[in-house]
Amino acid sequence: MKRNLLLIIFAIVCFSSVFAQEKRNKLFERKETYVDIRDQLKLYVKILDKNKTPVEWQTVVEERECDMATLLPDGNYLFGLTDMTSNQWGKVAMAGKYDYFPALGTLCKVDSKTGKVLWQYKREGKAAYSDYHVVAASDNAIVVQTADKKSSSITAIDLQTGKAQWTRKVESNAKTCATYDGNTLLIYYPVKTGWQYESISLADNRQLTKPRDASVFRLDSATVEPFDDRRILIASGNSVVLLDAASGEVSKNLTTASPLSKVYPFTDRFLVAENDGKSRMYNVAGEQIWEIFDRFAALLYVIEGDQLYRLQPSESDLTLQRLDANNGTAIWNCPLDGLLYSDIFFGENRIAFTTENSFSVVDIQSGKMQQTVALPINGSRNFDKVQQRGSHWIVAQEKGVTAYSASLQPLWNYSLTNNGIQSKNDCLAALTGRETESLSQVKAGNFTYSPIKLDYSTVQSQQNAARWHQEYNRNPSSYTRTMSQISSQFAANHIMINQAMQRIETSINMAMMTYEMGQMGAQIGAAVAAERQADADRQRNSFAYTMNEREYKTTVQDKYYIRRFETGKSVNLLVVNLDTGAWAELVLSPREGAIFESQMLKTCVPVYNSQTDAIVVMGLGLDTGKWQEMQKNRTTTVKSSLLSFRIADIKFHDRTEYPELSITKK
């Protein structure tokens, strides 16, 4: 008895030492040694000096990243800035802090002519894409929403003063949808008994409808979108609901025979595509106008004015069809060589689009393929953008831009494939761990990717942890360091936790338990810390993925293709005049190196202002006299700036001089 008592006391002492160490770590964080890279940056600036472009103005900002960039109706800029601080494992574990995302930075309005910050507004919430939304905007105000698991805040910000006009708090993680006219906002949110909805006036926060039960709408999984200036369309499961946002009354509740695939608003009607291959057109009264059925369900419907198109698969091919919107019959069929990789561009007498392999122009009346040409830049990529500039076509892609004549003869092409550009695919690889060609990762000498064998939602579930433990015992080779760092960290953490817990729970030998207690306790603590860190990294990569998509959407602005790329010593901007094909490269920053690239996002979100004929973008700038010191990621570096370049000051080159005069060749 005395022996067992001594063993128990010894076990308590072992655990106490572990937790005491954890407590000390939380209270006394080790002082970090910062690496000063400013001399390296200044050296790069001297090397890059001959590539310098005059800067109209430079405004230093506190935050490192630009998560929002908008040109306002008055010609000034609205920027959302975020301080994406490093989340390194050692530092976070010692501090006992697991901050998945830092707080959102300031929302600031900047004078487009001088760079002066006109006002700043401190945003609430975390820098997660799902937490911050612009829900409505007008010439005078912008309405933003922040949310967490327990509450939401909706605020209208005056664009002239930067002050909050009004704020509405909701004690739940609410979602919102504004009507097309921007006058009414529908707010819906979960409660203990299901879901509720209410509506407010966006002009003055006036309550239009009191909270009502919405359980019948299945809002937890619904698609909610504006139908017109007054009504909201709610589609979920087998149900389609038209809701009057101002009164809260349901104008129509339609039940379909099979689950919905998608609902498309169409002028004063709506098209319902079901998973069983049936498509039906209804009027707002819920009366069926026509119905068509195919063995294979349509992949996509495209609506342009009163024109209706759909992407229809079959056993052997894929077809673009134009339908008669009045009766659903096919007007013409155009076979495709693959899935659409762009929106359809609608011209006066023809449409144009890209597929996975080609760029095509189709007669809008007959559906006949007028011209088609293989794309010089293809493979895994974001959706392309197609434009018609005078007599020639433009195909803008994630990693380059190409111009074609009216007969689809290539006029010029700029490719960034080998220039170290961070693509959406890079972020996706870090997020999912699937095999992909990733230039920035190969360049950095990172680990090799192989397909992951774990589903995140399953791995994160404690209920299924035991099953994954058994899977590991059957096939331990599946969990190797050749997997993505993030997914393997998740797998290893859960396995480590489960093994340690099972050993503790099943061990009945007190002596053996005492011997191993201290070691297992430390192992569990380390595993939990590593899991939280890995989850933070995964969410950070998710945010980077979203930010990269947002940056890509700004590649074509007015008559310019604008895209960031990197070289060994600099971060740059490629600017191409889509009318003439002339090109220029702007050096934005000396490159800070892998110590920053491994932790920070790489977004710049350029904005072209046609009123001032200038481009504003984020960077460090090459004027060292304007640099301001900052310390981040255990590194002493300099703060970012907003940089304005006037088009008149940019030196453009003839298209025949690319890439010989490019900075990538120097």
Side-chain angles (χ1 to χ4, degrees):
M1 183 68 180
K2 184 182 292 185
R3 179 176 176 272
N4 289 340
L5 181 61
L6 290 173
L7 290 174
I8 292 173
I9 294 172
F10 182 69
I12 294 172
V13 170
C14 290
F15 265 120
S16 299
S17 64
V18 171
F19 291 115
Q21 181 65 36
E22 174 68 17
K23 186 175 182 180
R24 283 197 298 273
N25 287 340
K26 290 181 180 180
L27 293 176
F28 306 103
E29 182 180 351
R30 179 173 58 86
K31 184 175 178 59
E32 304 291 349
T33 301
Y34 284 82
V35 178
D36 195 331
I37 65 170
R38 288 176 296 173
D39 288 341
Q40 171 191 311
L41 298 179
K42 290 179 180 178
L43 175 61
Y44 285 174
V45 167
K46 291 181 179 179
I47 297 173
L48 298 166
D49 186 68
K50 58 185 176 182
N51 302 105
K52 185 186 295 185
T53 300
V55 176
E56 180 184 17
W57 51 257
Q58 177 173 348
T59 300
V60 178
V61 294
E62 293 295 326
E63 292 83 10
R64 294 286 302 187
E65 307 299 333
C66 182
D67 61 65
M68 175 181 172
T70 305
L71 183 63
L72 297 174
D74 62 5
N76 295 315
Y77 304 107
L78 185 68
F79 291 100
L81 304 170
T82 302
D83 185 2
M84 294 298 288
T85 308
S86 168
N87 203 5
Q88 295 171 334
W89 186 89
K91 184 175 181 180
V92 174
M94 292 190 68
K97 300 175 183 177
Y98 305 96
D99 192 8
Y100 290 163
F101 286 103
L104 285 162
T106 56
L107 190 67
C108 62
K109 183 177 180 179
V110 178
D111 189 297
S112 60
K113 296 178 181 178
T114 65
K116 179 182 178 182
V117 176
L118 301 176
W119 54 255
Q120 296 187 68
Y121 176 83
K122 180 62 180 176
R123 295 179 290 175
E124 298 179 359
K126 298 292 183 180
Y129 179 69
S130 59
D131 290 340
Y132 182 83
H133 301 275
V134 177
V135 298
S138 68
D139 289 350
N140 302 315
I142 183 171
V143 181
V144 299
Q145 175 190 356
T146 58
D148 55 31
K149 294 180 180 179
K150 297 182 179 180
S151 63
S152 303
S153 176
I154 303 169
T155 303
I157 303 169
D158 190 301
L159 288 178
Q160 297 302 315
T161 64
K163 296 181 179 180
Q165 294 179 336
W166 54 261
T167 297
R168 174 172 290 267
K169 300 285 186 179
V170 180
E171 295 303 318
S172 184
N173 189 350
K175 299 179 181 180
T176 59
C177 180
T179 54
Y180 275 131
D181 60 8
N183 292 329
T184 309
L185 185 69
L186 178 73
I187 307 172
Y188 54 103
Y189 47 88
V191 293
K192 291 183 179 180
T193 57
W195 282 76
Q196 287 185 344
Y197 70 93
E198 59 187 89
S199 61
I200 63 172
S201 167
L202 284 169
D204 53 12
N205 191 28
R206 181 166 40 89
Q207 185 96 27
L208 299 179
T209 61
K210 294 182 179 180
R212 301 190 182 191
D213 179 71
S215 300
V216 68
F217 301 161
R218 296 180 60 184
L219 285 170
D220 55 332
S221 59
T223 299
V224 182
E225 58 185 324
F227 181 77
D228 54 24
D229 288 347
R230 184 169 53 91
R231 289 170 291 196
I232 300 291
L233 182 67
I234 304 172
S236 176
N238 297 59
S239 173
V240 181
V241 174
L242 277 178
L243 179 71
D244 189 301
S247 67
E249 299 296 329
V250 175
S251 58
K252 188 59 189 176
N253 190 344
L254 179 70
T255 302
T256 60
S258 66
L260 303 173
S261 171
K262 176 72 175 174
V263 178
Y264 301 86
F266 186 81
T267 59
D268 58 345
R269 296 164 282 175
F270 57 91
L271 176 66
V272 176
E274 301 177 29
N275 288 334
D276 63 357
K278 292 182 180 178
S279 298
R280 299 182 175 92
M281 185 73 79
Y282 295 90
N283 60 24
V284 292
E287 300 169 337
Q288 181 176 307
I289 301 174
W290 51 258
E291 173 187 322
I292 54 178
F293 171 75
D294 290 281
R295 180 182 172 188
F296 298 93
L299 300 179
L300 175 73
Y301 279 89
V302 179
I303 296 172
E304 176 67 15
D306 59 354
Q307 301 175 41
L308 179 62
Y309 300 82
R310 71 171 178 170
L311 197 61
Q312 182 62 42
S314 66
E315 290 183 350
S316 57
D317 58 14
L318 190 65
T319 303
L320 179 66
Q321 294 181 338
R322 181 178 178 184
L323 304 181
D324 187 324
N326 295 315
N327 54 37
T329 58
I331 298 174
W332 49 253
N333 297 277
C334 178
L336 304 180
D337 62 356
L339 291 173
L340 289 178
Y341 258 73
S342 74
D343 291 332
I344 297 177
F345 174 84
F346 290 88
E348 185 176 351
N349 298 310
R350 49 189 176 175
I351 60 175
F353 51 83
T354 64
T355 61
E356 186 174 0
N357 303 307
S358 62
F359 169 54
S360 302
V361 178
V362 175
D363 183 85
I364 203 168
Q365 299 300 327
S366 66
K368 292 183 178 180
M369 191 79 70
Q370 293 182 335
Q371 296 105 4
T372 186
V373 63
L375 288 172
I377 310 168
N378 50 33
S380 180
R381 62 184 194 268
N382 246 305
F383 258 41
D384 307 327
K385 298 182 181 180
V386 176
Q387 271 195 357
Q388 190 172 20
R389 307 290 304 182
S391 61
H392 65 271
W393 295 97
I394 296 294
V395 178
Q397 298 180 281
E398 184 178 13
K399 295 188 177 182
V401 58
T402 307
Y404 297 95
S405 66
S407 59
L408 297 198
Q409 296 299 313
L411 298 176
W412 44 260
N413 165 253
Y414 297 95
S415 175
L416 293 173
T417 303
N418 298 315
N419 288 354
I421 186 171
Q422 183 192 34
S423 68
K424 168 188 169 184
N425 214 33
D426 292 347
C427 299
L428 186 61
L431 180 60
T432 67
R434 298 189 182 277
E435 280 186 351
T436 181
E437 294 179 4
S438 178
L439 292 171
S440 62
Q441 289 149 1
V442 173
K443 211 168 193 178
N446 289 353
F447 44 81
T448 303
Y449 286 107
S450 61
I452 61 172
K453 300 181 180 180
L454 300 176
D455 176 73
Y456 277 123
S457 60
T458 306
V459 174
Q460 291 181 54
S461 171
Q462 292 293 336
Q463 298 176 354
N464 295 323
R467 183 165 67 86
W468 285 114
H469 172 59
Q470 295 170 4
E471 176 71 15
Y472 172 76
N473 289 334
R474 285 197 299 267
N475 187 16
S477 62
S478 297
Y479 303 87
T480 67
R481 295 306 292 177
T482 61
M483 297 174 61
S484 80
Q485 193 176 39
I486 297 168
S487 59
S488 65
Q489 188 70 62
F490 267 89
N493 292 341
H494 279 284
I495 292 165
M496 189 180 298
I497 292 170
N498 291 324
Q499 287 179 328
M501 292 302 296
Q502 287 182 11
R503 285 199 298 270
I504 292 174
E505 291 173 358
T506 59
S507 178
I508 59 174
N509 188 318
M510 184 64 72
M512 181 62 70
M513 184 176 179
T514 304
Y515 175 76
E516 295 182 351
M517 192 76 75
Q519 186 177 10
M520 285 189 289
Q523 192 178 32
I524 293 172
V528 171
E531 181 182 8
R532 291 178 177 176
Q533 176 62 44
D535 189 45
D537 288 341
R538 182 185 66 83
Q539 293 193 44
R540 191 174 295 271
N541 277 317
S542 175
F543 186 61
Y545 174 88
T546 303
M547 287 299 301
N548 186 270
E549 280 194 307
R550 189 175 301 177
E551 182 185 352
Y552 170 71
K553 291 177 181 177
T554 67
T555 54
V556 176
Q557 299 188 43
D558 201 87
K559 63 178 181 179
Y560 294 102
Y561 175 87
I562 307 171
R563 190 70 164 111
R564 175 184 49 82
F565 70 96
E566 297 172 4
T567 62
K569 295 181 176 62
S570 61
V571 179
N572 318 279
L573 207 64
L574 172 65
V575 182
V576 180
N577 186 313
L578 298 179
D579 290 335
T580 65
W583 63 279
E585 291 174 342
L586 307 179
V587 179
L588 308 178
S589 311
R591 190 171 178 180
E592 293 175 278
I595 192 167
F596 256 70
E597 291 166 8
S598 62
Q599 297 294 339
M600 308 295 287
L601 304 182
K602 301 187 212 174
T603 55
C604 60
V605 194
V607 179
Y608 171 69
N609 189 339
S610 60
Q611 298 180 37
T612 59
D613 201 27
I615 295 173
V616 174
V617 64
M618 289 209 42
L620 302 184
L622 301 184
D623 186 348
T624 58
K626 294 184 179 179
W627 285 2
Q628 295 182 19
E629 177 186 325
M630 71 175 298
Q631 292 181 332
K632 293 291 180 184
N633 298 356
R634 306 184 191 183
T635 306
T636 300
T637 182
V638 296
K639 297 178 181 179
S640 294
S641 295
L642 294 171
L643 307 171
S644 177
F645 298 92
R646 293 195 312 149
I647 294 296
D649 295 332
I650 300 175
K651 183 180 179 180
F652 283 86
H653 302 282
D654 187 79
R655 59 199 185 202
T656 59
E657 298 176 313
Y658 186 87
E660 283 69 24
L661 295 184
S662 171
I663 193 172
T664 60
K665 296 290 185 180
K666 300 176 182 179

